[in-house]
């Protein structure tokens, strides 16, 4: 009996795993979006969940594709973004981390991620995760060869409410997240992140998180991989999702962040 030939994870009917906006950008800022897409390869049949679920925060960082594109235009910066959903493979996780391909996300079971073989997991990393990180590495190397400065800016968004299992184990609780924007940082050269925090916290209209609503730690993968070794200045920016849920909000925050980035660079 002859087995059917293996179908590649990404075929001609699927979109490429990486989108590069404004590839000729001249700015020192290099914008990246680990979770800026929510596509699923056709071979995975939407992972067994609905399009509504994929459109939620579990599927991607809401608002970041549009905000990042507008920011790239504002700054004349390159924006490298992941086109596929974080549920297919999370590009801000290492292959060794168990949540890189989540079986459950915010109480939603992901049928297409259950009981995957090692080969199936490796194929997702090879088809999506590696090309994304290779694109970032190539751009950083190209700039270095040309004697250009790179300030790496990772763009993410976060939910206004953080749900968690109740202490009794019955149902969930929700915690309000008051921050409008957060700046994440940890190892490497944190000088730029500190300067950006100073600029943002000087605005009395903003509630700014310093390593809030998340801490940058060993769970993060992209910034440590691409910024730490050569001590590139960097910042990971988290924007609250309800603020960038529509075109007007994305435009407002792209303008606001562009001004803050330029001011921090000047300082």
């Amino acid at each position: 009996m002859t087995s059917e030939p293996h179908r590649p994870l990404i075929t001609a009917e699927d979109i490429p795993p990486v989108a590069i906006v404004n590839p000729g950008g001249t700015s020192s800022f290099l914008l990246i979006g680990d979770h800026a897409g929510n596509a699923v390869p056709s071979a995975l049949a939407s992972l067994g969940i609905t399009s509504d679920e994929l459109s939620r925060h579990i599927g991607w960082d809401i608002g970041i594709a549009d905000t990042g594109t507008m920011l790239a235009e504002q700054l004349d910066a390159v924006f490298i973004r992941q086109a596929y959903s974080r549920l297919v493979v999370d590009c801000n996780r290492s292959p060794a981390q168990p949540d890189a391909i989540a079986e459950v996300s915010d109480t939603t079971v992901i049928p297409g991620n259950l009981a995957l073989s090692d080969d199936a997991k490796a194929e997702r990393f090879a088809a999506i995760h590696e090309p994304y990180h290779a694109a970032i590495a190539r751009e950083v190397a190209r700039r270095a060869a040309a004697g250009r400065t790179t300030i790496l800016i990772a763009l993410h968004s976060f939910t206004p409410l953080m749900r968690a299992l109740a202490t009794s184990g019955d149902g969930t609780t929700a915690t309000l997240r008051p921050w409008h924007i957060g700046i994440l940082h940890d190892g490497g050269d944190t000088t730029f992140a500190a300067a950006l925090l100073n600029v943002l916290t000087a605005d009395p209209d903003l509630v700014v998180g310093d390593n809030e609503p998340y801490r940058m730690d060993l769970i993060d993968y992209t910034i440590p991989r691409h910024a730490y070794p050569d001590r590139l200045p960097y910042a990971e920016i988290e924007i609250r999702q309800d603020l960038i849920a529509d075109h007007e909000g994305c435009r407002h925050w792209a303008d606001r962040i562009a001004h803050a980035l330029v001011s921090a660079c000047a300082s």
Side-chain angles (χ1 to χ4, degrees):
M1 181 176 179
T2 304
S3 61
E4 293 184 4
H6 175 71
R7 180 185 180 187
L9 180 62
I10 297 178
T11 67
E13 64 188 272
D14 295 308
I15 61 174
V18 185
I20 302 180
V21 177
N22 195 30
T26 61
S27 172
S28 295
F29 296 112
L30 174 56
L31 311 175
I32 55 176
D34 299 332
H35 308 136
N38 65 346
V40 176
S42 56
L44 298 182
S46 298
L47 297 170
I49 61 175
T50 66
S51 58
D52 286 344
E53 291 282 15
L54 283 167
S55 296
R56 293 178 58 222
H57 70 94
I58 64 172
W60 62 338
D61 278 352
I62 293 168
I64 290 302
D66 288 343
T67 302
T69 297
M70 294 173 185
L71 194 55
E73 294 168 353
Q74 284 262 90
L75 296 169
D76 190 26
V78 178
F79 177 34
I80 300 175
R81 71 176 187 87
Q82 174 52 245
Y84 284 97
S85 172
R86 69 202 305 170
L87 295 176
V88 178
V89 62
D90 191 331
C91 286
N92 196 29
R93 297 291 184 269
S94 80
Q97 288 174 283
D99 64 342
I101 300 177
E103 295 187 351
V104 180
S105 183
D106 192 20
T107 74
T108 296
V109 176
I110 316 301
N113 290 350
L114 299 178
L116 291 181
S117 68
D118 289 343
D119 285 347
K121 293 177 182 178
E123 185 174 29
R124 294 195 194 182
F125 279 95
I128 296 170
H129 190 281
E130 291 175 17
Y132 173 66
H133 286 285
I136 297 171
R138 281 195 303 271
E139 180 62 19
V140 170
R142 183 184 71 82
R143 291 161 175 252
R148 289 179 55 191
T149 299
T150 293
I151 303 173
L152 194 60
I153 304 296
L155 300 172
H156 293 264
S157 66
F158 65 95
T159 57
L161 293 172
M162 178 63 179
R163 295 201 304 172
L165 290 175
T167 54
S168 65
D170 299 324
T172 60
T173 61
T175 303
L176 181 67
R177 290 164 152 178
W179 308 281
H180 300 109
I181 188 170
I183 304 301
L184 278 54
H185 53 91
D186 184 31
D189 183 352
T190 60
T191 306
F192 183 80
L196 185 58
L197 271 167
N198 287 338
V199 169
L200 291 168
T201 54
D203 187 336
D205 294 330
L206 290 181
V207 179
V208 181
D210 181 352
N211 272 330
E212 297 285 2
Y214 309 106
R215 292 196 62 82
M216 178 175 281
D217 53 26
L218 294 176
I219 293 175
D220 287 272
Y221 180 76
T222 304
I223 288 290
R225 172 172 171 171
H226 297 286
Y228 289 8
D230 295 326
R231 296 191 64 79
L232 297 181
Y234 72 89
E236 185 164 319
I237 298 176
E238 290 273 358
I239 311 164
R240 207 174 68 205
Q241 287 172 353
D242 60 315
L243 302 176
I244 53 173
D246 56 27
H247 182 85
E248 183 179 350
C250 292
R251 173 58 65 192
H252 172 78
W253 279 92
D255 292 347
R256 197 163 203 164
I257 291 170
H259 175 76
L261 290 173
V262 171
S263 297
C265 195
S267 69

